[in-house]
Amino acid sequence: AISGVQFTNGVAYVTLNGGTNNSKTIEGLPNGAIYAVDEVYQDGTTWKVIPGTGYEGYTVSYDSNQFGTISETAISETIVTNTYTRKGIAKPEVVKKVTGETGQMTDAQKQESFTFALTPDPENKDSEELPTIRTATTNGDATVADGIKAVFGAITYHEEGIYYYTIQETSGTTPGMAYDINVRHVKVVVALDPNDPMKFATTVTYGSSKDSCTQTKLIVTNTYTKPTKPTFEKKIKDRNDSEGTESDWQDSADYDIGDDIPYKLTATLAN
């Protein structure tokens, strides 16, 4: 009879406590039985195998006996090793506000999306993992009193230290809008979490320079003034005849003499 575990549908679960050199012996398995050993984690009511990328900071490795066949003449032993990597997470963010003659703005102008770019300092340690997309864009009305947030993707840290970044708004094209494209600086301090030594704690502050990052919130304000004279904007689409595709409205395109050129003119009237 098999001793030490309870099998259900050919699967048995064994729980080992944290620490080193914990083991479980299972006896009575039939000669010639094929086995596999996997470490699992609980997701709700389901047990799932820990993937190669790890789980909650842990990665799992197995020796050559992870898979095998039971032999009555030898002991089958599988060594499973957990490696923990301490990490911390930071998500820089921007509060965008629009002030000035906001009552003169159209609903579409109030819903303008403002985009910011995040650039790491070249002197940062290589132990940071930056988000694939390093831009953040607002979605909503930035004329409200509290403004609206644009949040960057998570930055992951594996070492203590101080990391710096710059944030800059991309200038838009709304007539009458004065865009604040000044460069701001971000300081991220990564240190051991005093409440959990298995983690890093991160502190994010902002400033106009690396040496003045003391603010806990970054507010970037644009100012709108209704134009006093009409303004015009011309946009054009680019066509790829070989692929049969057409771009969105943009500032320039490449055409041959005699081609039909799609374009539009947008006028903004004054008071």
Side-chain angles (χ1 to χ4, degrees), residues 144-178:
V144 298
D146 293 334
I148 190 169
K149 286 185 180 181
V151 182
F152 291 94
I155 307 173
T156 303
Y157 302 92
H158 299 290
E159 288 186 23
E160 293 180 274
I162 299 177
Y163 301 77
Y164 291 98
Y165 309 86
T166 59
I167 290 177
Q168 186 176 26
E169 181 178 355
T170 301
S171 183
T173 59
T174 297
M177 185 72 73

Side-chain angles (χ1 to χ4, degrees), residues 56-243:
E56 293 189 345
Y58 287 92
T59 56
V60 182
S61 61
Y62 306 88
D63 67 0
S64 59
N65 293 322
Q66 180 186 7
F67 307 100
T69 302
I70 299 298
S71 171
E72 61 183 7
T73 61
I75 296 175
S76 297
E77 180 182 68
T78 303
I79 298 176
V80 183
T81 303
N82 290 150
T83 303
Y84 180 76
T85 302
R86 186 184 289 113
K87 67 179 182 180
I89 300 292
K91 289 185 177 182
E93 59 184 40
V94 183
V95 175
K96 163 55 64 179
K97 292 186 177 182
V98 175
T99 61
E101 300 176 353
T102 56
Q104 302 295 316
M105 296 174 67
T106 66
D107 289 341
Q109 288 173 331
K110 290 182 179 180
Q111 294 295 324
E112 178 180 358
S113 295
F114 301 97
T115 299
F116 300 85
L118 178 75
T119 304
D121 190 299
E123 296 183 1
N124 285 353
K125 295 181 179 180
D126 294 335
S127 58
E128 61 179 346
E129 293 180 20
L130 291 163
T132 303
I133 300 176
R134 301 178 191 178
T135 57
T137 303
T138 62
N139 181 18
D141 185 353
T143 67
V144 298
D146 293 334
I148 190 169
K149 286 185 180 181
V151 182
F152 291 94
I155 307 173
T156 303
Y157 302 92
H158 299 290
E159 288 186 23
E160 293 180 274
I162 299 177
Y163 301 77
Y164 291 98
Y165 309 86
T166 59
I167 290 177
Q168 186 176 26
E169 181 178 355
T170 301
S171 183
T173 59
T174 297
M177 185 72 73
Y179 294 87
D180 184 351
I181 58 172
N182 292 311
V183 175
R184 267 65 171 206
H185 293 260
V186 186
K187 178 181 179 181
V188 179
V189 178
V190 181
L192 286 178
D193 189 332
N195 299 316
D196 186 350
M198 297 294 285
K199 297 180 181 179
F200 285 129
T202 58
T203 303
V204 183
T205 52
Y206 308 90
S208 58
S209 67
K210 290 174 67 173
D211 297 330
S212 65
C213 290
T214 58
Q215 303 169 3
T216 58
K217 181 184 294 186
L218 174 58
I219 301 175
V220 178
T221 304
N222 292 351
T223 304
Y224 178 78
T225 304
K226 188 171 182 179
T228 57
K229 60 181 180 180
T231 59
F232 295 90
E233 180 183 61
K234 181 179 180 180
K235 293 290 184 178
I236 191 172
K237 289 188 176 183
D238 196 7
R239 288 175 175 166
N240 187 321
D241 295 333
S242 61
E243 297 180 2

